[in-house]
Amino acid sequence: MYAIIATGGKQYKVAEGDIIKVEKLGVEAGETYTFDQVLAVSDNGLKIGNPTVTGATVEASVIENGKARKVIVYKYKRKTGYHKKNGHRQQYTAVRIEKIHA
């Protein structure tokens, strides 16, 4: 059984027991979070929502909040002496999928 959920502007295919990193949710570690934007659920057949499946939720427990690896952003324009170097670390929340309610 799997589900497709939407969070943080992205879509994830999840099954029970999966650990995924999503955009920061603002929930502390050890708490539970419920994803209510379920786009599709597959149990005995594929149920596709329009745009979401009514009554379907995905329960997850928060493992940790953290920052991803640094991404270097380098801007350069030739012949003008313009160089600019920036770094960015995206914040994430790691969650474990506990239960899919279809």
Side-chain angles (χ1 to χ4, degrees):
M1 178 180 211
Y2 69 89
I4 299 175
I5 60 171
T7 181
K10 300 175 184 68
Q11 297 176 2
Y12 300 92
K13 179 182 175 184
V14 297
E16 292 180 7
D18 286 354
I19 296 175
I20 59 171
K21 291 182 180 180
V22 298
E23 298 291 323
K24 186 174 180 185
L25 297 173
V27 181
E28 295 297 321
E31 296 182 18
T32 59
Y33 187 82
T34 303
F35 296 101
D36 55 352
Q37 285 191 327
V38 180
L39 304 177
V41 175
S42 171
D43 46 3
N44 290 333
L46 185 64
K47 285 191 235 173
I48 299 175
N50 187 13
T52 60
V53 178
T54 56
T57 58
V58 175
E59 288 182 14
S61 60
V62 177
I63 299 172
E64 68 169 344
N65 291 310
K67 287 186 174 183
R69 295 185 60 180
K70 183 176 275 192
V71 176
I72 302 298
V73 180
Y74 190 76
K75 296 180 179 181
Y76 168 77
K77 292 190 187 262
R78 65 191 185 120
K79 298 181 184 175
T80 60
Y82 175 77
H83 300 275
K84 188 166 188 163
K85 184 177 179 182
N86 252 340
H88 176 74
R89 292 184 70 187
Q90 186 68 33
Q91 295 182 342
Y92 70 87
T93 300
V95 296
R96 175 181 289 118
I97 305 301
E98 299 293 339
K99 186 75 176 152
I100 298 174
H101 301 285

